[in-house]
Amino acid sequence: MAWNVYVTRRIPDAALEVLRRECGGFEMNPHDRAATRAELLDAVKGRDGVVCLLTDTIDDELMAAAGPRCRVFANMAVGYDNIDLAAATRRGILVTNTPGVLTETTADLAWALLFAVARRIVEADGYFRAGRWTGWGPMQFLGHDIHGSTLGVIGAGRIGVAVALRSVGFRMRVLYTDPQERAELARIGASRVPLEHLLRESDFVTIHVPLVPATRHLIGARELSQMKPTAYLINTSRGPVVDEAALVAALKEKRIAGAGLDVYENEPSPASGLTELENVVCIPHLGSATLATRSRMAVMAAENLVAALRGERPPNLVNPEVLPAAPADDRGATAGR
Ligand code: DGY
């Protein structure tokens, strides 16, 4: 069957193979960068379906530009805050995401940031490479212990749970916030507590909630002031969950010990002053960035798109209310990713 499909940026080959085989081909953004708004508005015209990325703003204007044939936006990400879901639903357009396949990879990265910032790995590496090391010293690059400390997990969805389970080998106490008790976490002795309790008690606070109106600036000046001065904040979820200007101020004034960040409020630009700080490790939104995981995400997005174009229910549909007679409440947990 030949469908008119657009891919907003180069994605792993395995997914392009699926589109070639199942859709009779596709068109793809030829540039190795996100399409500009004008390019995107033009490129989606007349498409049956679009494979899109978290860097694409898929709003009502873009859906209107795509036109009445457009059946699906298949996002290659578990988060879909880049898509106006209400507008898609109103227009009868299916939206899909890629849950599950990136859980473990993203959890690994949250730990990588935690280690990097607590043990000052990036700072020390820079010092060593600059040829400044003149020999071992008893007071050099003293960091904070991870083993035996308290881990606070905000949002115990798939990724939050995977992060928490990794703490067992480090004999950590685990606190978490979530609308639901999580049996996997009860099994490791973790306690579900209110956010303020978690912030006051944790040595490492790691964020794993989706970006929805209720989680925008979930961590702001007040919440940062509730953290211990020796505590670290790790964010691999979405930048706007943290008030980045407030975080910069807290880090600058050493009101918390440090932060490990993968995501930013206004990507790709960091808040003013962030990159001048030594007590922060900043990486460019790499949570799911392994070859295997990005390939799985891309194939999943392609398969979601194909199912939608065939008139089937895509496996990872986030607005099932578009389909007739679908239960309205099976969109999946919004509590954590
Ligand atoms: C996602 O899938 O939402 C991630 O942020 C991509 O790495």
Side-chain angles (χ1 to χ4, degrees):
M1 183 78 192
W3 282 294
N4 189 353
V5 169
Y6 186 67
V7 182
T8 64
R9 190 167 179 179
R10 172 85 195 262
I11 56 175
D13 287 344
L16 300 181
E17 221 13 78
V18 171
L19 297 177
R20 239 174 244 120
R21 193 177 64 235
E22 305 295 334
C23 302
F26 56 87
E27 260 187 76
M28 186 162 70
N29 169 9
H31 310 292
D32 185 21
R33 57 164 172 75
T36 64
R37 180 74 181 167
E39 287 168 348
L40 203 55
L41 282 167
D42 190 47
V44 296
K45 275 190 194 132
R47 306 293 179 179
D48 296 309
V50 177
V51 176
C52 55
L53 306 176
L54 58 88
T55 41
D56 304 317
T57 300
I58 310 295
D59 55 11
D60 195 56
E61 184 194 24
L62 195 102
M63 294 178 207
R69 288 173 59 134
C70 189
R71 178 88 181 124
V72 58
F73 282 91
N75 214 32
M76 191 187 122
V78 64
Y80 46 87
D81 46 278
N82 57 310
I83 302 182
D84 183 340
L85 204 60
T89 303
R90 220 169 30 243
R91 289 177 175 276
I93 297 176
L94 306 183
V95 174
T96 64
N97 70 339
T98 61
V101 289
L102 48 67
T103 299
E104 301 298 333
T105 301
T106 308
D108 287 349
L109 188 94
W111 276 92
L113 280 172
L114 190 158
F115 278 110
V117 69
R119 296 302 304 269
R120 305 177 63 180
I121 302 295
V122 178
E123 246 183 293
D125 177 84
Y127 175 87
F128 183 86
R129 284 169 194 270
R132 292 170 57 199
W133 193 44
T134 53
W136 185 87
M139 300 304 286
Q140 282 171 4
F141 292 103
L142 304 184
H144 279 78
D145 278 329
I146 294 153
H147 67 272
S149 65
T150 297
L151 178 69
V153 178
I154 300 180
R158 296 180 194 84
I159 299 172
V161 167
V163 168
L165 294 181
R166 281 162 171 69
S167 71
V168 171
F170 297 97
R171 301 186 312 279
M172 295 170 89
R173 177 165 77 116
V174 178
L175 305 176
Y176 70 99
T177 62
D178 201 80
Q180 296 177 43
E181 289 281 351
R182 301 285 177 181
E184 311 92 295
L185 297 189
R187 280 196 283 278
I188 62 162
S191 310
R192 189 166 74 105
V193 297
L195 179 61
E196 184 174 344
H197 178 135
L198 179 149
L199 294 169
R200 291 199 186 283
E201 299 258 320
S202 299
D203 300 302
F204 298 95
V205 173
T206 181
I207 306 175
H208 303 286
V209 290
L211 176 61
V212 292
T215 60
R216 190 171 286 275
H217 284 194
L218 179 70
I219 302 298
R222 191 169 68 99
E223 290 72 23
L224 291 163
S225 74
Q226 291 165 348
M227 288 174 65
K228 300 183 196 181
T230 50
Y232 295 86
L233 183 72
I234 310 298
N235 190 11
T236 55
S237 63
R238 284 291 182 266
V241 174
V242 175
D243 177 342
E244 206 169 296
L247 176 63
V248 170
L251 289 167
K252 209 179 260 173
E253 293 157 21
K254 306 257 167 51
R255 283 187 270 116
I256 65 170
L261 304 177
D262 185 39
V263 290
Y264 305 88
E265 204 167 341
N266 295 301
E267 294 182 9
S269 308
S272 162
L274 181 72
T275 55
E276 285 137 44
L277 299 169
E278 280 193 336
N279 51 349
V280 59
V281 173
C282 301
I283 56 172
H285 205 146
L286 297 177
S288 59
T290 66
L291 187 56
T293 292
R294 286 280 166 85
S295 295
R296 281 194 286 265
M297 290 165 69
V299 167
M300 191 178 232
E303 288 174 351
N304 282 327
L305 176 124
V306 169
L309 295 182
R310 282 191 183 139
E312 297 161 9
R313 182 191 172 101
N316 308 107
L317 180 61
V318 295
N319 57 346
E321 52 276 33
V322 168
L323 298 178
D329 63 349
D330 64 350
R331 184 180 305 160
T334 55
R337 297 192 302 158

